[in-house]
Amino acid sequence: MNGPVPVSLPSGSEAATPLVRVRQVSKFFGSFRALNDVSIDIPHGRVMCIVGPSGSGKSTLLRCLNQLEKIDAGAIAIDGELLGFRLQGDALHELSDAEIARQRLKTGMVFQRFNLFGHLTAIENIIEGPVTVLKRPKKEAIEEGEALLARVGLASKRNSYPSQLSGGQQQRVAIARALAMKPKLMLFDEPTSALDPELVGEVLAVMRALALSGMTMAVVTHEMGFAREVGNELVFMDHGEIIERGDPRVVLDHPANARARDFVNAVIK
Amino acid sequence: MRDHATPAHRDILDLAGLKLVPRRYYGRWIAAALILLALGYILRAFAMGQIEWKVVGQFFTAPAILAGLVNTVIMTICAMVLGLTLGVVFAVMVMSPNPVLKVVATFYIWLFRGTPLLLQLLIWFNLALVFPKMGIPGLFEARTVDIMTPLFATMLGLGMNQGAYTAEVVRAGILSVDTGQTEAAKSIGMTRLTTLRRIILPQAMRFIIPPVGNEFISMVKITSVASVIQFSEILRNAQTIYYANARVIELLFVAAGWYLIVVTFLQIGQFFLERHYARGIGPSRPSPANEEGKA
């Protein structure tokens, strides 16, 4: 471990500490280097879109932010708190499972394959975390859950099981489930990749509204239109490295890096 | 193959109005008749044979038989509760990232699956030969023969043996649940054990219940093995009676009848349990699932 790295803010940004700070993170799967010395910030209220070919490490980066993967080197801090380790004296001590579970409360995650709990209805999926993990009173949790369902346009599907919902509806319930935990950061791992084309729009609409409400988001996606319109920053990854980043409109229209240019051409055409 | 094409002289529109005659299943009728015939023959053989059916009826509700029945049912339930509890605990231990728990559970499963049940029952029952006394030093102590009664030895023997098998059934059930469920549970801040209890096990039940129901039914009958260590379940009591009155077949039929009755009830219970844990499963079903769904 390299330990917590002193954070220097990129010039021109506001004085506040970014919500997410990723410093020199590397991750191996066996001998395969999934992430290679990745450093990046996400300021409060910003939407960062991560694009790149499959196997480029973009999903791995996202999963490291939620500690679904453990990093092998570097450091990640969310909301001023170092992930996975506690600094004691000169050493970083690994946190317990319970402490890691508590750290995950700061982030909500939306998966490519929705991963709704199959044995629970839409509303039960949403209140499961607040009631079981946060120990909120059930009545309150249900009221808030119903409000969230209305927010994603699915108030009428309250008592439907995931198997009775379309992919787009399942993904919207999954977004509501993540929001029910009141996270500071929302992670989206290719949220529309498993959807039929006609269902993509409804999910992107919910995400767009969420971005407008000021939520900090990291979105791994192939939807370049969404990245261009909603994203504040676009990050290109390839072979576990960030090869290009910047304003989405600039990066997508005039990629400086040759590999990024090839990718943009292939995806947009 | 014969040609079933529309006859040339009739138009297809004419045929559309004709009566439809369903297929006839002659084979089924013949098979059913043959089976009934064979069944009748067997029943007649038993009715004419040297069985005093009156004696069967007489002993069906004899106090000793009913007491044995109660013991069989209680032992089945106790051994299965112990077996299921141990099974879940050891399945979770085997799948734990903790190497100590893993090794302990693997050893348990190896030991209890690796030796015959009959032998395990005999060892439990004869434990006094190894440890004349047992207890917690300073707190309490007792003679092992007083603790290892036939009832307690049977419960331990059957339950611990069952636990080793159930552990594998539960493990298979847990493995059948998609890993995405675990990741989603982690993402909303659940710990490993909460995830198991709230998310994984409820969904694994669907895969666990059919084999466990099967083992429950086996257990009803396996309790009869405990007759060798003098546990007075139904078969042993039936034997005790026929040693005295020599009505061997009659009393065996009494026991058989009761086993069938108990198993029938279990099978009905399994049906309802399976239906409960099937909620939320399957291709989009209309609302009945919603109506019984508890929020």
Side-chain angles (χ1 to χ4, degrees):
Chain A
M1 299 299 306
N2 295 324
V5 179
V7 173
S8 59
L9 295 169
S11 60
S13 79
E14 61 275 13
T17 316
L19 180 66
V20 180
R21 287 173 293 167
V22 177
R23 288 295 175 275
Q24 295 161 21
V25 165
S26 291
K27 167 74 189 171
F28 294 85
F29 292 112
S31 61
F32 175 71
R33 190 190 277 262
L35 290 177
N36 187 13
D37 202 26
V38 171
S39 298
I40 202 158
D41 284 342
I42 311 177
H44 288 271
R46 294 308 191 83
V47 176
M48 186 177 80
C49 292
I50 308 168
V51 300
S54 66
S56 61
K58 50 196 193 316
S59 284
T60 305
L61 175 60
L62 209 65
R63 291 164 62 84
C64 287
L65 294 180
N66 206 9
Q67 301 189 65
L68 288 178
E69 307 289 351
K70 279 185 180 169
I71 58 176
D72 294 313
I76 302 175
I78 294 182
D79 199 23
E81 192 178 2
L82 184 67
L83 292 193
F85 295 89
R86 185 191 303 106
L87 183 63
Q88 256 174 337
D90 270 348
L92 290 173
H93 294 261
E94 206 174 349
L95 295 182
S96 70
D97 281 353
E99 288 167 314
I100 290 173
R102 187 187 52 74
Q103 285 191 332
R104 287 202 181 99
L105 295 177
K106 288 191 175 163
T107 55
M109 177 110 174
V110 175
F111 298 87
Q112 183 177 354
R113 291 190 304 121
F114 331 132
N115 296 349
L116 286 181
F117 304 132
H119 61 307
L120 302 178
T121 61
I123 188 76
E124 287 170 342
N125 262 280
I126 294 171
I127 67 168
E128 180 63 29
V131 172
T132 310
V133 179
L134 301 178
K135 311 287 180 209
R136 302 273 315 279
K138 196 167 178 179
K139 196 163 155 276
E140 268 179 49
I142 289 176
E143 278 169 19
E144 289 184 20
E146 284 169 343
L148 280 167
L149 270 178
R151 190 168 156 193
V152 298
L154 289 174
S156 63
K157 300 292 181 186
R158 184 187 188 282
N159 295 326
S160 298
Y161 284 97
S163 61
Q164 298 166 329
L165 299 173
S166 74
Q169 291 170 335
Q170 287 189 57
Q171 195 61 300
R172 282 144 71 195
V173 173
I175 294 172
R177 174 178 68 180
L179 290 176
M181 302 302 286
K182 301 197 170 75
K184 299 201 166 179
L185 168 71
M186 282 287 285
L187 307 173
F188 293 84
D189 190 1
E190 303 201 25
T192 57
S193 297
L195 296 177
D196 290 335
E198 78 273 20
L199 303 176
V200 168
E202 62 190 61
V203 172
L204 291 182
V206 168
M207 291 168 63
R208 191 176 297 122
L210 189 60
L212 286 176
S213 75
M215 175 64 76
T216 313
M217 293 162 59
V219 185
V220 171
T221 186
H222 294 298
E223 295 291 332
M224 297 303 161
F226 177 84
R228 183 188 297 265
E229 184 200 340
V230 180
N232 300 109
E233 185 175 27
L234 189 84
V235 172
F236 251 107
M237 290 191 70
D238 197 18
H239 298 300
E241 291 174 352
I242 294 175
I243 56 170
E244 185 154 356
R245 55 196 284 187
D247 185 293
R249 273 144 293 211
V250 177
V251 174
L252 286 172
D253 292 340
H254 310 286
N257 182 292
R259 278 180 291 171
R261 197 156 49 231
D262 291 346
F263 181 77
V264 170
N265 285 338
V267 170
I268 289 178
K269 270 153 202 166
Chain B
M1 290 296 284
R2 240 185 307 149
D3 193 358
H4 290 284
T6 315
H9 60 279
R10 277 185 98 160
D11 189 75
I12 182 116
L13 288 174
D14 293 339
L15 301 182
L18 296 183
K19 196 179 112 192
L20 301 175
V21 182
R23 221 159 102 195
R24 302 254 157 72
Y25 296 97
Y26 298 110
R28 293 180 191 179
W29 287 104
I30 295 168
L34 286 177
I35 289 167
L36 279 178
L37 206 68
L39 203 63
Y41 183 76
I42 293 168
L43 282 179
R44 182 172 163 275
F46 272 102
M48 310 277 285
Q50 300 186 349
I51 296 177
E52 287 284 349
W53 288 101
K54 254 173 63 187
V55 177
V56 174
Q58 215 176 330
F59 278 96
F60 207 73
T61 51
I65 292 292
L66 291 182
L69 174 71
V70 168
N71 279 343
T72 293
V73 169
I74 289 177
M75 182 52 64
T76 303
I77 293 170
C78 288
M80 276 314 282
V81 166
L82 182 63
L84 276 172
T85 312
L86 290 174
V88 171
V89 169
F90 283 106
V92 171
M93 283 169 70
V94 163
M95 301 181 84
S96 157
N98 179 336
V100 179
L101 297 180
K102 216 184 179 87
V103 167
V104 168
T106 308
F107 177 77
Y108 166 85
I109 292 170
W110 169 79
L111 186 69
F112 283 89
R113 282 202 311 185
T115 49
L117 174 65
L118 182 57
L119 185 144
Q120 287 174 30
L121 284 173
L122 289 170
I123 289 180
W124 285 115
F125 189 55
N126 292 306
L127 209 61
L129 300 177
V130 193
F131 311 107
K133 287 182 173 180
M134 60 196 320
I136 302 165
L139 266 177
F140 86 101
E141 206 175 48
R143 284 164 59 221
T144 303
V145 280
D146 295 334
I147 298 176
M148 274 302 156
T149 56
L151 180 110
F152 195 60
T154 304
M155 198 182 91
L156 275 180
L158 294 179
M160 299 209 43
N161 186 268
Q162 187 59 45
Y165 284 93
T166 309
E168 288 296 283
V169 171
V170 173
R171 192 171 70 90
I174 291 174
L175 284 176
S176 70
V177 180
D178 184 66
T179 51
Q181 297 286 308
T182 308
E183 292 193 343
K186 278 182 177 174
S187 80
I188 56 170
M190 285 192 181
T191 56
R192 216 179 80 83
L193 281 181
T194 311
T195 303
L196 259 173
R197 187 170 56 81
R198 296 287 306 174
I199 305 300
I200 306 301
L201 282 178
Q203 296 186 75
M205 287 306 274
R206 204 165 66 86
F207 300 91
I208 293 173
I209 285 171
V212 164
N214 198 27
E215 296 193 344
F216 219 112
I217 286 167
S218 293
M219 182 61 87
V220 175
K221 295 161 296 168
I222 288 173
T223 50
S224 62
V225 175
S227 59
V228 295
I229 58 168
Q230 294 154 36
F231 178 62
S232 50
E233 43 72 55
I234 190 162
L235 183 59
R236 184 182 162 82
N237 287 8
Q239 285 177 311
T240 311
I241 296 173
Y242 73 60
Y243 288 146
N245 70 2
R247 296 290 188 188
V248 179
I249 284 290
E250 286 83 353
L251 278 145
L252 289 179
F253 271 39
V254 166
W258 277 116
Y259 280 120
L260 284 172
I261 290 171
V262 172
V263 166
T264 304
F265 278 109
L266 281 178
Q267 233 164 2
I268 294 169
Q270 184 180 351
F271 170 79
F272 285 105
L273 212 57
E274 275 181 29
R275 206 173 63 168
H276 172 75
Y277 280 104
R279 68 195 198 279
I281 306 294
S284 47
R285 290 177 309 170
S287 39
N290 287 353
E291 282 157 21
E292 63 181 90
K294 295 142 260 180

